[in-house]
Amino acid sequence: MYVVNSDNMRQMPALNWTAVFFFNDNEDLFDGYDSIMDDSSFLAKLEDVEQNIEEHENSCLAQQTAKSIKHSCEDDLTDSVLTEAFHDASLREFPASHTVFQRDVSNIKIPTLGIVSTSTPDVKQSKQPAISTNTYIDSNKSAPKARRSMTDQLKRAMLENAASSNRISKTVLQKEAVMSEEINVAMQAIESVSMEGDLGPFFGLPSKVKDLILRLKGIQDLYEWQKACLSLDSVIQRRNLIYSLPTSGGKTLVAEILILKEILCRKKDAVLILPYVSLVQEKLHMLGDGSRGAVLEMTLAKVKYVCKGTQIIGMSATLGNVGDLQKFLSAENYTNDFRPVQLKEYVKLRDSIYEVNPKEEDGLTFSRLLSFKYSSAMQKVDPDHIIALVAEVIPQKSCLIFCATKKNCENVAGMICKYLNKDFLKHREPEKAALLAELKDSGSGCLCPVLQKTVPYGLAYHHSGLTSDERKLVEEAYSSGVLCLLTCTSTLAAGINLPACRVILRSPYVGADFLKRSQYKQMVGRAGRAGLDSVGESILILQDKDKDKVKNLVSAPMETCYSNLLHDGNRGLLSLILSLIGLNVLGFMSGTLLSVQEVQVCQQKTLKELIQESTEILKQKGLIEASSYVPDNAILQITRLGRATFKGSIHLSYCDVLYKDLSKGLEGLLLNSFMHLVYLVTPYDMVSLCKPDWMIYFREFTKLSAAEQKIAAALGVPESFVARKAAGQSVRKCVDAVVVTRLYLALVLYSLLRETTLWNISDRFQLTRGFVQALLSSASAFCSCVLHFTEELEEFWAFKALLTELTRRLTYCVQAELIPLMEVAGVMEFRAKQLYNAGYKTLAHLANADPNVLVNSMENLYKKQANQIVSSAKMLLQEKAETLQQEVDDLLMLPNDLPSV
C-alpha cells in the first residue's frame, strides 16, 4: 500500500496499480481510528506483534523435546499472517541479528548480508559467540523455521506487482532453486486460485486478516454497513464507488480491506490518498479544498485517462452534490447514516443549555441550567463557564475544547488549571511525570512552561505552534488517558482523530471568520468514543449577537463540493494544461470535475475559452511554444523552462522568478557558507506568513561574515537598510519587501544548519517552534523541487551536487554523523543523540541491537518503542542491501542486444 501526497506528484509514473482510494471529506476529514494504521506505522506494528511471537517461541525452546510442531491454517497459510501468499524464497531467510544464533545452535549454514550480528555496539565478536548456560538447547533438534516478516511480505508483494522487467537475474534464479518444499506446496495452493479469485472467507481474504485486525485494533466484528458495503456488486465487480457516512463510522477500515484484497488476491498495488495533517505530516486531500483539491482532481482525472481499468474508491461524509462526483468518477454511491455513538448537539447561551432540534421552529430546545457555583473572581475570569462544563466530565472522561486562536488555547488551559482541585495532580501521576520527561527530551532539554504547568493536572494545548514531536507525545498521552483534556484549534478536528466524551466549542469563530457548516461538523464529530461512551456531547458557546447565525449554522445543509481548478487565478488549470501538452487537451478536460460543473463554476467564460486563455498565459511565460517542426505552427510543445517547472513541481507564479534568482546566483555564488544557497531555496510561499522583527534582523545580520553581508547587499538588502529599519528611521531607497523577508527566513534556516537547536532558534527569532519546524520542512521540500528544476536546465549544472547535499542537510538538520540514525522511523534528533552517545553509531548497530539492551541504556525508552526502532532499522537495512544487490544484478546482466557473430 502506498500513502501518496498528491501535492508532490510531479508526473504520472508507469502505472501497475489498479485501485485508488481517496478522501473527499468536507465534513469528516479523518474518519475513525478504526484504521489498522494507527498513529504509529502499520508495518511497525506488525513487526512489534511478530517480535512478541518470536520472543515467545524462543522462550519455549527449552521445553521442545518432541518433534517440531507443524502449523496448519484453514487458508493454506503458515503461522505468520498471510505468510505463504508471497512467493519469494528470500523472505524465508533469518533476520541478520538471529543468523549467528541459529548457526551455532544447529550448525546450519545460512547466507547473510555480510552484517556483523551483534546486540550491542563496539563489542568485538569472537568466531564462536558464547551461548548462555541458563538456556537448555538440544543440539540434535533442527532449528525452528524462520518466520518471515509480515512487513517484508507486503513490501515484497507490492514490489513484485509493480515489476515490469522480463529479465531474471542470477540471484533470483538461485533463490528459486533453493525454494523449500513447503513454499512450493503453498505456491501451488495460491496458483490454483484464479487471478481474481478469493484466498479465504473474510471477504475474499484469509481469516488471518480478521485475526490481525482483532489483534492490532481490538475489532472483533465489522459493522453491518461495512459488511453490506464490502458485499456490493460494485465492489465485487471492481466498479468505481463513493461511499458516504457520518464521522467515525468506520470508513477507513473498509478501504484497508479492499487494499489488502487488491494486493493479495489480484496481485496488484493500490494508492491511498489521505487527508491527515498531524498523522502523516501531509496536507487535507479534498476535492473542494483550494489548491490541494485541484491537485487531487488532476490526479484522479489523469488516472481515469491513463488507466481505464483502475478502480477508484472515494470516502466521504455527507455531501450536498454527490451526483457531480458520481458523474466525474463514473461511480456508484453507497450512503448510510450509521454512527457508532449517538451524538447530542447542544448550544450554551448565558447559563442555559439548549439541545439542537431540527424539528423545532428555531432549531433549539431548552435542556437545563448550569448549577456550578462560581465565586466573583471566577466569574470575571471565566464568564463563559468553561470550568463548569469541564468539571462535569474530567478526569474520569475526556474533553476537547476548540478555541478560535492558538494563544487562546494556551490561555484557556492555564485558566482551567488555576481552579481545578489539587486531587487532579494525583490522577495517573507517574505517567504524567514520564510525559513531562519525554517532552523535555524531545526539546533537547527544553520544556514549554505552559505544558510544564498544565500536564500535572492532565491538561495540555494542541496547535501548530508545537513541534511534531510534542504533538505526537500529547496525542498519545491523550489517547491513553494520561491527559483528560486538550485545548486545541480547528486543525486538530481536521487533521487527526482524538475523540472525547464531550466537545466544547469556545466560540463559533475560527480566527475572525464565522464557522462554516463543514468546520462545525468536523469539531462536533469528535464527540463520542466508540466502545467507551453510549452518547457523545458537543456544546457550542455563543453570545447573544451570534444567536441567529448559530441557528442557521446548526440546521444548514452541507456545503457542496466544487472543482478548484480555477482557484487562485486558474492556477490548477494552468498546471494541468502544462502537463497535457502533446495530448488532446479538450478531450482530456471533458473528463474533469470542472467539465461536469462548467455551468456552475465557469460563469463568465466557457471552459473552451478558459483553456485558450490559459494556453496564451503559458506562452507568455515561456513555458510552451509553437512547434518549429510543423509548417502551420498549430501544434504546441513544452519549452525547457516549462519542462523544468513541471518536473520540479514549481508554482507557476514563481518559476520565472526562480530562474532569475538562480541565474543571478551563479554570477557570484558564495561557496564557503551555506547562507547563499539557503536563500535560494527559501520557499516563496512562506514569505507572507512572517513579519520580520527589525531589531532581531539587525542583530543577526551583524553576525554574518563580511562575505555573507556582501551577498546580502547583492541580493538587495544592505546593512544600512536593516540598521535604519531597526532604528525606526524612514528608508527612501526602494527595496523589494519579498527579498527582505525571504532573507530573514533564510537567516532562520541558516542558524538551524549551524547546529543550533530548534528551541534556541525559536527563542532567538521570537517565532513559534511549530513555525520554525514548518519552515524547515517546507525548505527541505522546496530544495528538492529546485534540484529537479535545475537538472532539466544545462546552465544550472553546478547546482546539482550543491543542492543534493543541502537537501540532505535540511531534511535532518543535525550533525552529519547523526543522519544515518535519523533515517530510521521513530528516531528523532534527541533519540539519535542518545543512541550515538551510547555507541549505536550506524544503521547496522541499530538493526542488530537487542531491544532489552536499548531500554536499559536509554532514558525514557520503552520496550515497544525499542522494538519498533530495531524493526525499522532492519527494514531499512534490508532495503539498502536489496538496492545494492539489484545494482549488482543489473551490472552482471547479459545485455539483450549483445552483437553476435
Side-chain angles (χ1 to χ4, degrees):
M1 177 180 64
Y2 296 118
V3 179
V4 177
N5 174 8
S6 63
D7 284 337
N8 294 330
M9 294 183 68
R10 289 184 292 274
Q11 58 185 346
M12 295 300 295
L15 301 174
N16 193 38
W17 37 265
T18 61
V20 174
F21 301 80
F22 75 96
F23 283 80
N24 169 43
D25 206 343
N26 286 329
E27 176 179 331
D28 173 16
L29 303 189
F30 183 90
D31 198 23
Y33 255 90
D34 51 16
S35 165
I36 56 179
M37 299 179 304
D38 206 328
D39 49 358
S40 62
S41 167
F42 171 47
L43 298 183
K45 281 195 170 187
L46 292 177
E47 287 284 354
D48 192 33
V49 169
E50 294 194 331
Q51 176 96 10
N52 293 336
I53 295 175
E54 185 175 286
E55 290 177 356
H56 174 71
E57 291 179 347
N58 288 339
S59 68
C60 296
L61 284 176
Q63 304 174 12
Q64 292 181 355
T65 57
K67 293 182 178 181
S68 299
I69 299 175
K70 295 185 178 180
H71 298 282
S72 62
C73 175
E74 58 182 350
D75 304 312
D76 291 323
L77 300 173
T78 66
D79 194 36
S80 180
V81 181
L82 307 178
T83 190
E84 301 303 342
F86 306 93
H87 53 272
D88 193 316
S90 66
L91 297 178
R92 298 196 57 81
E93 296 176 359
F94 289 100
S97 57
H98 297 162
T99 302
V100 173
F101 173 78
Q102 296 288 353
R103 182 190 304 142
D104 291 330
V105 172
S106 55
N107 294 323
I108 297 177
K109 295 183 179 181
I110 302 175
T112 68
L113 296 173
I115 303 171
V116 178
S117 298
T118 176
S119 298
T120 53
D122 295 337
V123 178
K124 294 183 178 179
Q125 289 189 315
S126 61
K127 294 183 179 179
Q128 298 293 333
I131 300 178
S132 173
T133 57
N134 295 329
T135 304
Y136 170 77
I137 300 177
D138 189 344
S139 60
N140 295 324
K141 300 187 182 300
S142 61
K145 297 178 181 178
R147 181 190 308 281
R148 288 185 293 163
S149 167
M150 176 61 180
T151 57
D152 288 342
Q153 294 167 21
L154 281 175
K155 289 168 59 180
R156 174 71 66 180
M158 290 190 292
L159 288 173
E160 290 179 348
N161 295 341
S164 58
S165 175
N166 293 323
R167 298 179 299 172
I168 302 177
S169 67
K170 295 180 180 179
T171 303
V172 173
L173 292 173
Q174 293 171 355
K175 289 178 180 179
E176 292 180 350
V178 297
M179 184 177 293
S180 68
E181 180 180 356
E182 182 180 358
I183 294 182
N184 282 324
V185 172
M187 283 307 304
Q188 290 173 7
I190 294 295
E191 291 170 357
S192 66
V193 181
S194 62
M195 188 54 137
E196 299 187 21
D198 293 345
L199 293 179
F202 186 63
F203 300 100
L205 289 168
S207 58
K208 286 290 184 179
V209 174
K210 184 178 181 180
D211 297 338
L212 179 65
I213 294 174
L214 174 61
R215 185 184 302 173
L216 295 181
K217 297 303 301 178
I219 300 175
Q220 296 183 354
D221 196 11
L222 301 187
Y223 296 131
E224 290 303 319
W225 83 262
Q226 292 173 325
K227 297 177 182 178
C229 185
L230 288 169
S231 302
L232 291 173
D233 289 340
S234 55
V235 172
I236 296 174
Q237 299 175 16
R238 300 191 67 261
R239 297 195 296 269
N240 294 349
L241 174 69
I242 299 173
Y243 58 95
S244 307
L245 283 95
T247 301
S248 302
K251 295 187 288 292
T252 304
L253 183 59
V254 171
E256 290 170 343
I257 291 173
L258 292 174
I259 288 174
L260 288 175
K261 188 172 182 180
E262 196 72 17
I263 295 173
L264 300 179
C265 298
R266 302 195 71 251
K267 301 181 181 179
K268 299 292 183 180
D269 292 341
V271 174
L272 178 63
I273 302 178
L274 302 166
Y276 310 159
V277 176
S278 300
L279 184 63
V280 294
Q281 297 300 300
E282 301 293 355
K283 303 298 184 181
L284 307 169
H285 293 281
M286 298 178 297
L287 285 176
D289 182 24
S291 60
R292 294 187 290 273
V295 173
L296 178 55
E297 181 180 347
M298 287 187 283
T299 301
L300 293 174
K302 290 177 181 179
V303 168
K304 287 174 52 188
Y305 188 85
V306 175
C307 302
K308 305 295 185 183
T310 298
Q311 182 185 23
I312 299 176
I313 305 292
M315 293 155 278
S316 174
T318 306
L319 290 174
N321 62 338
V322 69
D324 289 350
L325 298 181
Q326 285 184 257
K327 187 175 180 180
F328 165 47
L329 298 174
S330 302
E332 299 178 21
N333 178 238
Y334 174 84
T335 302
N336 195 300
D337 60 0
F338 172 81
R339 196 178 191 275
V341 179
Q342 181 185 1
L343 172 62
K344 290 189 176 182
E345 301 175 39
Y346 296 95
V347 169
K348 177 190 170 296
L349 181 61
R350 294 187 291 273
D351 59 350
S352 298
I353 295 181
Y354 301 85
E355 183 174 359
V356 175
N357 187 353
K359 296 181 181 179
E360 292 293 326
E361 183 178 352
D362 60 356
L364 301 174
T365 301
F366 176 79
S367 177
R368 64 186 175 96
L369 289 173
L370 278 177
S371 58
F372 193 85
K373 294 182 180 180
Y374 266 54
S375 64
S376 57
M378 287 181 64
Q379 186 65 37
K380 291 180 180 178
V381 174
D382 182 24
D384 293 325
H385 308 100
I386 295 176
I387 298 174
L389 296 173
V390 165
E392 292 178 343
V393 291
I394 66 170
Q396 286 75 22
K397 296 184 178 181
S398 57
C399 182
L400 292 176
I401 303 178
F402 287 103
C403 303
T405 65
K406 290 183 287 188
K407 189 63 178 177
N408 193 234
C409 291
E410 300 176 28
N411 292 339
V412 169
M415 184 241 341
I416 295 175
C417 287
K418 290 181 180 179
Y419 295 95
L420 286 180
N421 192 296
K422 299 300 180 182
D423 291 339
F424 277 78
L425 295 171
K426 300 178 182 179
H427 183 70
R428 304 191 70 165
E429 187 175 6
E431 293 98 323
K432 289 185 288 191
L435 173 60
L436 285 173
E438 289 181 305
L439 287 168
K440 189 174 182 179
D441 284 343
S442 71
S444 300
C446 299
L447 178 63
C448 171
V450 177
L451 293 177
Q452 186 175 19
K453 178 182 178 181
T454 62
V455 167
Y457 286 91
L459 279 64
Y461 69 90
H462 184 291
H463 57 59
S464 60
L466 295 173
T467 66
S468 59
D469 290 343
E470 289 174 318
R471 287 199 298 270
K472 182 177 181 181
L473 289 171
V474 167
E475 291 161 11
E476 290 177 344
Y478 177 82
S479 297
S480 63
V482 175
L483 297 177
C484 58
L485 183 146
L486 293 183
T487 58
C488 45
T489 54
S490 59
T491 55
L492 184 140
I496 55 176
N497 180 46
L498 294 178
C501 177
R502 175 173 292 179
V503 170
I504 300 173
L505 280 68
R506 177 71 175 76
S507 73
Y509 290 89
V510 174
D513 300 324
F514 196 80
L515 277 178
K516 297 179 182 179
R517 170 73 172 176
S518 59
Q519 293 172 322
Y520 171 75
K521 281 297 185 180
Q522 289 168 14
M523 296 179 190
V524 302
R526 302 302 113 206
R529 301 164 299 171
L532 297 177
D533 302 321
S534 58
V535 176
E537 297 179 339
S538 69
I539 302 176
L540 171 60
I541 301 174
L542 71 152
Q543 309 302 322
D544 288 314
K545 64 182 181 67
D546 297 320
K547 186 175 181 179
D548 292 336
K549 290 183 179 179
V550 168
K551 288 180 180 178
N552 294 329
L553 173 68
V554 297
S555 59
M558 288 299 299
E559 291 100 340
T560 51
C561 174
Y562 289 113
S563 170
N564 273 275
L565 290 181
L566 303 184
H567 175 77
D568 191 18
N570 300 352
R571 172 187 170 186
L573 182 60
L574 288 167
S575 297
L576 181 56
I577 293 177
L578 179 62
S579 67
L580 297 177
I581 296 300
L583 299 177
N584 182 356
V585 177
L586 288 176
F588 182 96
M589 291 301 301
S590 64
T592 62
L593 180 60
L594 178 61
S595 176
V596 174
Q597 299 176 333
E598 181 177 359
V599 176
Q600 301 100 308
V601 179
C602 308
Q603 298 180 352
Q604 298 179 348
K605 299 178 181 178
T606 66
L607 179 56
K608 185 175 181 179
E609 291 173 338
L610 288 171
I611 293 174
Q612 293 173 343
E613 181 182 277
S614 299
T615 302
E616 290 302 318
I617 293 175
L618 293 175
K619 284 183 179 179
Q620 293 172 9
K621 285 182 169 290
L623 302 177
I624 62 176
E625 62 186 3
S627 175
S628 58
Y629 302 101
V630 179
D632 57 3
N633 292 331
I635 297 180
L636 297 174
Q637 65 181 16
I638 193 168
T639 64
R640 293 171 56 252
L641 178 59
R643 184 176 301 277
T645 301
F646 176 67
K647 291 291 185 69
S649 296
I650 304 298
H651 194 302
L652 296 184
S653 302
Y654 309 137
C655 60
D656 50 347
V657 179
L658 176 62
Y659 185 88
K660 292 177 182 178
D661 286 346
L662 292 174
S663 299
K664 187 177 180 180
L666 285 178
E667 297 175 3
L669 188 62
L670 182 65
L671 295 178
N672 63 355
S673 164
F674 271 118
M675 199 274 287
H676 195 182
L677 277 175
V678 167
Y679 170 80
L680 292 175
V681 299
T682 299
Y684 295 98
D685 56 1
M686 295 291 290
V687 170
S688 61
L689 304 179
C690 179
K691 185 177 181 181
D693 182 309
W694 295 110
M695 290 298 296
I696 296 175
Y697 205 152
F698 179 70
R699 182 191 67 204
E700 297 300 319
F701 195 99
T702 56
K703 293 180 181 178
L704 298 175
S705 66
E708 291 169 340
Q709 290 188 15
K710 185 177 180 181
I711 289 296
L715 294 173
V717 188
E719 181 182 9
S720 59
F721 167 80
V722 181
R724 284 181 172 274
K725 296 292 288 186
Q729 300 176 2
S730 60
V731 180
R732 297 181 180 180
K733 184 179 180 180
C734 182
V735 177
D736 190 334
V738 172
V739 174
V740 172
T741 305
R742 195 165 174 237
L743 180 60
Y744 184 72
L745 293 176
L747 292 176
V748 176
L749 293 169
Y750 184 46
S751 299
L752 279 170
L753 284 180
R754 296 167 78 175
E755 300 173 1
T756 305
T757 67
L758 185 147
W759 277 77
N760 290 340
I761 296 301
S762 173
D763 182 65
R764 185 194 301 180
F765 286 87
Q766 292 297 293
L767 299 169
T768 66
R769 304 182 298 281
F771 177 83
V772 175
Q773 191 174 59
L775 173 63
L776 181 62
S777 176
S778 181
S780 173
F782 187 61
C783 186
S784 179
C785 291
V786 175
L787 172 60
H788 290 294
F789 180 85
T790 58
E791 287 176 339
E792 298 297 321
L793 300 167
E794 293 181 1
E795 58 268 36
F796 295 143
W797 63 270
F799 282 112
K800 183 176 181 180
L802 296 173
L803 294 180
T804 299
E805 175 59 23
L806 182 58
T807 299
R808 191 165 178 259
R809 293 289 298 271
L810 287 172
T811 300
Y812 300 104
C813 202
V814 293
Q815 298 175 358
E817 58 267 26
L818 297 182
I819 291 179
L821 301 179
M822 296 271 297
E823 293 178 341
V824 178
V827 177
M828 304 306 291
E829 181 179 1
F830 77 97
R831 187 71 72 198
K833 290 180 178 178
Q834 281 185 325
L835 292 168
Y836 190 87
N837 292 334
Y840 297 90
K841 299 182 179 182
T842 67
L843 184 60
H845 280 140
L846 270 188
N848 295 281
D850 184 337
N852 294 315
V853 176
L854 284 180
V855 171
N856 294 331
S857 58
M858 303 281 139
E859 293 184 4
N860 302 317
L861 180 65
Y862 301 107
K863 181 65 177 296
K864 179 180 179 181
Q865 296 171 317
N867 286 337
Q868 291 179 348
I869 288 175
V870 173
S871 298
S872 298
K874 288 179 180 178
M875 290 168 56
L876 184 58
L877 195 64
Q878 180 71 16
E879 289 175 1
K880 290 179 178 292
E882 289 177 351
T883 300
L884 291 174
Q885 184 62 58
Q886 186 60 50
E887 292 180 4
V888 172
D889 293 344
D890 291 340
L891 287 173
L892 299 178
M893 188 70 65
L894 186 67
N896 293 330
D897 57 349
L898 185 66
S900 58
V901 180

